[in-house]
Amino acid sequence: MAESADVVVAGAGPAGAAAALVAARAGLRVVLVERGPFPGSKNMYGGVIYPRVLDTLLPRWWEEVPVQRWVTRRATMVMTGTKALTVEFRGEDWDAPPYNGATAYRADFDSWLAGKAADAGAELVCSTTVTGLLRDGTGRVTGVRTDRPDGDIRASLVIAGDGVNSFLAKEAGLYEDWSVTHFTVGVKEVLALPREVLEDRFNLTGDEGLDIEILGGTQGIPGGGFLYTNLDTIAVGVVLSLAGLRDSGKRPEDIIAALKDHPAIAPLVRGGELKEYSAHTIPEGGMDGMPHLAADGMLVAGDAAHLCLASGIWLEGVNFAIGSGALAGETAIEAIGSGDTSAAALSGYRRRLENSFVLANHRKLRGAHKLILGKRAQTVYPELACGIAQRVFTVTDPQPKAGLRRWVHDERKRGGVRLRDIVKDGWVGWRTFG
Amino acid sequence: MGVPRYIAAALKWVDLRPEVDPLAGTVRHDTRTSGLSLADAAALEWALRLGESWQLPVAAITAGPPEARAVLRDAAGFGPTRLVHVAADRDAPSDAIARALAPLLAGAAVVCCGDYSADRGSGSVPAFLAHHLQAAQALGLTSLAPEHPGSLVAQRRLDGGRRERLQVSAPAVISVEPGAAQLRRAPLSGLLAAGRAAVETAAADQAPEYGSRVHLLRTTSYRPRPKVLAPPRDQLPRARLLALTGALSERMPPRVVRAAPEQAADQLIGYLTDNGYLG
Amino acid sequence: MNQDVAPLPGSHYDGLSFEDRMATVEFRVAARPHITVDSDVCRSCTTKACVHACPAQLFVPTSDGGVLFNYEQCFECGTCYMVCNTEGALTWSYPEGGHGVVFRRS
Ligand SMILES: Cc1cc2nc3c(=O)[nH]c(=O)nc-3n(C[C@H](O)[C@H](O)[C@H](O)COP(=O)(O)OP(=O)(O)OC[C@H]3O[C@@H](n4cnc5c(N)ncnc54)[C@H](O)[C@@H]3O)c2cc1C
Ligand code: SF4
Ligand code: SF4
């Protein structure tokens, strides 16, 4: 006999947990199904969560969220084979509530957030994989199948928060043009360092943290690198375009090894003992790879809906997952309240997303991934920036300094960078990030 | 002993992936990697099978810290009639565990246990338990076949590849090897109900201690084995030497103890003792 | 800050084999493989992209031009099916609930 619920949520990642939390709070019967033995056990990411999205959902979340360190400094490092140029920013009030970002392990964070949904009344079922959709004769989604004996669950609405490989969105036919070019893969190492060494090395005190995003450290494969500080570990890894990796013939762990050997990174990771190695894919197509967000009886949120920004210099997704999950939850309440969960009745979801930071940011950054993953941003500009920086910092006495204009000109010539391209990319970049 | 009324599964909550600090030898536990060992899962499966075949209710019982209730929630997915938790220390010795469990298992036809736990257990809890219950014991079983209610035929390994077949009559305590059965998957309805299932907390009134001539005086902490490291890759002998010795490279800053010589000495000895180097 | 320093001696020395690397990860291996590879199809594949791209190094080319695959230490990431150009070479699904990779610090 099939179980039944108002809403069944597939996946207890940030998207699924937020959706379940919102729907359960409104008194709906919610079953939250997770395939891992505990929420977060299947999930890896770079390492920084930007949790301001929780302000309305869980006021004073910072008093209990399980974090490693509060990010008080963010740096972007642009690197070439042997050089690196770092621009660092210290947030004045990032070390006090409401904070800006925090490093956390997903096993801790996702378990915590799913626990909040369970506290609100959602029934969390772990170690259970959703294996497919239940549908009626018209094709409308009426529930899910799981790999448990008697494992069907009927529901008025299914919310797919099942992440980047979303089998549910695929089965519902929501991806119009699925392409490998919309994806990257992230691999990372978590390295243990004694806390004193770590704080000394990164110049941190108390629970302050530093995050470094790296451009140009991926052996010519479009992508980026990152290095984040946890309490007594650091996370170092790379995000690689899948098509680029496929064609490169290179191995992911060798690319991390090369990054760790870079003179700018080696002193930071030296002596770290590997605690966990991990890999996960990322939807990076932005708006271009986005599926339809609703079918009859079903909504898609988080990575499953490609609501993720991870184009090299920033890695954000947990915040968008929580944001979109919460809005899917709100849409569920409205639709179930009105007794209509057809795709048309669920169109409020897209509208809600458009009006929130979720789609606003995606619209704004549409195309950013092409710019960041393009050849010029990956190799040419890092050379240019590092070259100029080297000249700026090199003391040429007794020769007088040539001056910035001259340096830029020389480096541009040396790297074969056309002024036209800089202007073009600058224009695209300004429109995208400005 | 009266008419057997139920089958019991005595389950241990154990960390399946504990972490040992390579320097200090201290063990760190994580509730997320803790649960049933494969042997205990096989024991639960056999408890369910015996319950089905003899039409007896099944009870799941655990002795351990409050977190140990997690294994009862796992068992609850299969619909046992009773879930009982007895408070006990994580590292309590086998006989203490057996004495805590025994008063609660008096009416059991068969108590099913795993043969030994993953955390260097000695497998002696079932033996102590059988003693306190004055029940038959058949330990380290590789397969079972229930016969008419209250009787089963079991097999276990001996040395030299020999096998031993046993006929066992209730009341009995059995322990099974991990391969004796694979735990079935709980149905979804069971899993949903498990979240609401009630767990009884039993008072830890211990069975009387039996006159042992062996007494545990003290257990020292783990001493981790030395780690084998691959030789350095560098070409130059000097570089290899530096890599091996760690000279010229950054290392963990020493903790500086500022105290009078006697106190400093005490701290030093305390540290070495705590970490298992002195003993 | 512009860093251009030679690596310190010893900084390359971590002596970690790929097996040791994978041993840092917990896998609760399921009885049934969640990914299967049809080695006959792979024989006609010219890229063998899975072999170098799989972060867990689970695809091993064989002397007869096929590939050998072992599902046990899989991250369930999806890289293999995304880089594979050949229809029908791979079937890909998630392992039975509760099994497979378990991350704790990622
Ligand atoms: C290398 C890398 C670095 C990243 N860095 C960052 C970062 O620093 N900051 C940031 O904010 N974001 C980062 N992201 C992005 C972020 O991880 C994702 O956007 C976010 O996790 C998406 O959340 P989600 O809930 O949609 O999906 P997920 O977190 O993937 O959760 C999906 C859940 O569904 C479960 N599931 C899947 N299928 C099924 C099924 N069939 N049945 C049952 N359960 C199922 C999974 O086990 C999982 O728990 C990074 C991603 C990667 C890969
Ligand atoms: S799995 Fe795909 S990529 Fe790998 S060898 Fe087979 S056909 Fe080629
Ligand atoms: S899913 Fe990832 S880890 Fe598993 S086989 Fe494919 S590429 Fe390798």
Side-chain angles (χ1 to χ4, degrees):
Chain A
M1 208 207 59
E3 296 289 324
S4 65
D6 294 318
V7 181
V8 51
V9 182
L21 171 67
V22 169
R25 268 191 190 155
L28 296 181
R29 177 158 185 217
V30 180
V31 179
L32 176 58
V33 187
E34 167 59 44
R35 66 189 187 88
F38 53 85
S41 56
K42 298 289 179 185
N43 304 343
M44 77 70 99
Y45 76 140
V48 180
I49 289 171
Y50 304 95
R52 290 300 303 275
V53 54
L54 291 173
D55 284 357
T56 48
L57 226 46
L58 294 162
R60 308 189 75 76
W61 49 267
W62 55 82
E63 289 172 359
E64 44 171 318
V65 63
V67 302
Q68 293 285 319
R69 287 179 180 275
W70 299 105
V71 174
T72 52
R73 282 156 48 207
R74 289 187 74 170
T76 300
M77 188 185 275
V78 184
M79 66 167 55
T80 67
T82 53
K83 299 188 195 104
L85 172 72
T86 307
V87 183
E88 188 179 305
F89 184 74
R90 174 189 283 274
E92 267 316 315
D93 43 8
W94 287 358
D95 58 348
Y99 299 100
N100 176 61
T103 52
Y105 297 139
R106 293 293 296 277
D108 299 337
F109 182 83
D110 291 12
S111 284
W112 172 76
L113 193 60
K116 291 286 155 197
D119 292 347
E123 294 182 84
L124 173 62
V125 179
C126 292
S127 297
T128 304
T129 303
V130 173
T131 50
L133 296 168
L134 298 174
R135 303 217 231 185
D136 67 11
T138 68
R140 96 170 249 118
V141 176
T142 58
V144 296
R145 283 183 209 294
T146 71
D147 66 351
R148 290 273 166 193
D150 297 324
D152 292 359
I153 313 174
R154 302 202 164 278
S156 311
L157 183 70
V158 172
I159 298 178
D162 53 346
V164 56
N165 289 309
S166 184
F167 285 107
L168 297 190
K170 279 178 200 152
E171 187 180 337
L174 296 179
Y175 293 114
E176 229 158 57
D177 68 322
W178 189 96
S179 154
V180 64
T181 59
H182 293 156
F183 297 89
T184 53
V185 60
V187 280
K188 89 168 180 180
E189 292 181 1
V190 173
L191 306 168
L193 286 175
R195 185 171 174 178
E196 315 84 75
V197 174
L198 189 151
E199 289 176 353
D200 201 42
R201 195 175 282 183
F202 292 94
N203 200 4
L204 300 168
T205 47
D207 53 7
E208 289 176 354
L210 163 70
D211 80 33
I212 308 175
E213 267 90 31
I214 304 160
L215 205 58
T218 45
Q219 307 286 298
I221 300 174
F226 55 84
L227 192 157
Y228 300 136
T229 54
N230 295 314
L231 199 61
D232 54 5
T233 64
I234 52 179
V236 55
V238 292
V239 170
L240 307 167
S241 133
L242 267 173
L245 175 67
R246 179 191 63 197
D247 301 338
S248 71
K250 294 193 169 114
R251 295 206 42 81
E253 75 276 7
D254 290 343
I255 298 164
I256 297 192
L259 180 68
K260 284 165 68 187
D261 271 352
H262 190 280
I265 302 294
L268 302 179
V269 300
R270 188 146 34 87
E273 186 203 345
L274 183 64
K275 282 290 170 183
E276 197 163 84
Y277 174 55
S278 56
H280 204 284
T281 45
I282 316 174
E284 325 237 25
M287 297 288 282
D288 301 339
M290 207 168 283
H292 296 285
L293 299 173
D296 287 335
M298 174 166 151
L299 289 175
V300 190
D303 274 9
H306 285 218
L307 293 168
C308 185
L309 283 176
S311 311
I313 54 163
W314 42 175
L315 285 167
E316 293 179 39
V318 172
N319 48 346
F320 294 117
I322 296 173
S324 60
L327 295 178
E330 282 177 24
T331 312
I333 300 167
E334 179 187 73
I336 291 172
S338 71
D340 182 0
T341 53
S342 66
L346 294 170
S347 62
Y349 177 48
R350 173 129 203 153
R351 206 176 48 245
R352 284 185 166 89
L353 287 171
E354 300 271 5
N355 293 335
S356 77
F357 75 101
V358 179
L359 275 185
N361 280 358
H362 276 82
R363 203 168 282 295
K364 183 150 184 242
L365 297 178
R366 175 169 215 157
H369 65 111
K370 288 206 186 108
L371 178 64
I372 300 267
L373 298 181
K375 172 152 171 24
R376 282 194 296 278
Q378 287 291 319
T379 54
V380 181
Y381 292 158
E383 284 286 356
L384 185 66
C386 290
I388 293 168
Q390 183 166 31
R391 287 172 183 245
V392 171
F393 293 126
T394 306
V395 178
T396 55
D397 299 349
Q399 292 291 320
K401 294 188 194 301
L404 190 60
R405 188 185 304 249
R406 180 84 224 161
W407 288 326
V408 173
H409 177 83
D410 287 355
E411 282 298 320
R412 196 158 60 72
K413 275 273 144 53
R414 202 166 65 89
V417 189
R418 292 188 304 172
L419 193 56
R420 201 174 140 264
D421 289 332
I422 301 188
V423 173
K424 188 180 120 215
D425 288 346
W427 169 244
V428 176
W430 184 74
R431 270 197 327 188
T432 322
F433 306 115
Chain B
M1 201 121 302
V3 192
R5 291 179 298 251
Y6 64 93
I7 306 291
L11 306 171
K12 179 173 182 184
W13 177 73
V14 49
D15 191 342
L16 300 165
R17 233 182 131 86
E19 271 184 57
V20 182
D21 185 314
L23 270 184
T26 44
V27 184
R28 268 189 305 259
H29 292 291
D30 186 340
T31 53
R32 291 174 305 211
T33 49
S34 303
L36 291 179
S37 66
L38 284 176
D40 283 34
L44 176 57
E45 175 63 27
W46 269 112
L48 296 168
R49 289 187 196 171
L50 292 178
E52 280 156 9
S53 118
W54 295 346
Q55 311 225 317
L56 288 177
V58 176
I61 182 166
T62 189
E67 300 92 321
R69 291 158 160 264
V71 295
L72 298 179
R73 297 249 165 254
D74 288 348
F78 303 94
T81 41
R82 274 185 80 191
L83 305 168
V84 189
H85 170 241
V86 203
D89 284 347
R90 187 194 271 271
D91 297 319
S94 297
D95 186 40
I97 297 286
R99 283 191 290 127
L101 293 175
L104 300 156
L105 292 169
V110 177
V111 181
C112 303
C113 310
D115 63 345
Y116 47 83
S117 57
D119 56 349
R120 308 185 186 205
S122 60
S124 51
V125 169
F128 282 116
L129 194 56
H131 169 83
H132 291 298
L133 291 171
Q134 299 189 2
Q137 54 173 302
L139 307 185
L141 305 179
T142 54
S143 72
L144 281 83
E147 300 190 308
H148 59 84
S151 169
L152 50 89
V153 170
Q155 181 160 295
R156 68 177 163 200
R157 278 181 236 273
L158 298 178
D159 56 357
R162 293 173 303 151
R163 296 276 190 280
E164 183 174 73
R165 280 175 86 75
L166 310 163
Q167 160 99 46
V168 185
S169 305
V173 177
I174 62 167
S175 75
V176 296
E177 286 195 0
Q182 202 188 346
L183 182 59
R184 65 191 73 179
R185 254 173 106 60
L188 188 70
S189 54
L191 232 56
L192 287 167
R196 300 182 283 265
V199 174
E200 298 167 40
T201 304
D205 44 341
Q206 304 236 313
E209 198 162 345
Y210 78 113
S212 170
R213 280 177 290 161
V214 179
H215 295 281
L216 179 67
L217 297 178
R218 169 168 122 78
T219 313
T220 61
S221 58
Y222 291 119
R223 284 187 204 204
R225 286 166 202 277
K227 205 155 125 185
V228 182
L229 292 175
R233 283 186 268 135
D234 298 83
Q235 289 297 314
L236 293 173
R238 178 177 173 276
R240 286 205 298 278
L241 209 63
L242 287 175
L244 277 177
T245 56
L248 303 188
S249 68
E250 197 180 332
R251 67 189 93 187
M252 194 166 133
R255 196 174 100 209
V256 180
V257 179
R258 285 193 188 81
E262 302 84 58
Q263 283 136 5
D266 286 347
Q267 289 216 28
L268 202 60
I269 290 171
Y271 178 85
L272 291 172
T273 315
D274 287 349
N275 294 328
Y277 292 108
L278 288 181
Chain C
M1 131 181 69
N2 187 11
Q3 288 156 316
D4 199 348
V5 281
L8 290 170
S11 69
H12 295 259
Y13 174 40
D14 61 6
L16 200 67
S17 69
F18 197 79
E19 289 72 36
D20 288 344
R21 169 181 293 274
M22 293 307 291
T24 62
V25 194
E26 180 182 356
F27 296 96
R28 302 187 184 174
V29 180
R32 211 164 20 84
H34 59 287
I35 299 174
T36 59
V37 181
D38 186 338
S39 190
D40 289 338
V41 178
C42 296
R43 254 185 283 277
S44 59
C45 167
T46 51
T47 66
K48 299 274 190 294
C50 58
V51 173
H52 72 264
C54 168
Q57 245 180 57
L58 298 178
F59 295 81
V60 181
T62 56
S63 56
D64 64 348
V67 296
L68 197 68
F69 174 75
N70 182 339
Y71 72 99
E72 290 182 5
Q73 295 195 314
C74 170
F75 291 126
E76 298 151 37
C77 65
T79 299
C80 51
Y81 82 79
M82 293 195 202
V83 299
C84 175
N85 290 326
T86 316
E87 190 79 31
L90 284 170
T91 62
W92 203 98
S93 63
Y94 287 128
E96 182 175 81
H99 293 87
V101 70
V102 176
F103 293 128
R104 278 193 289 166
R105 287 204 182 84
S106 292

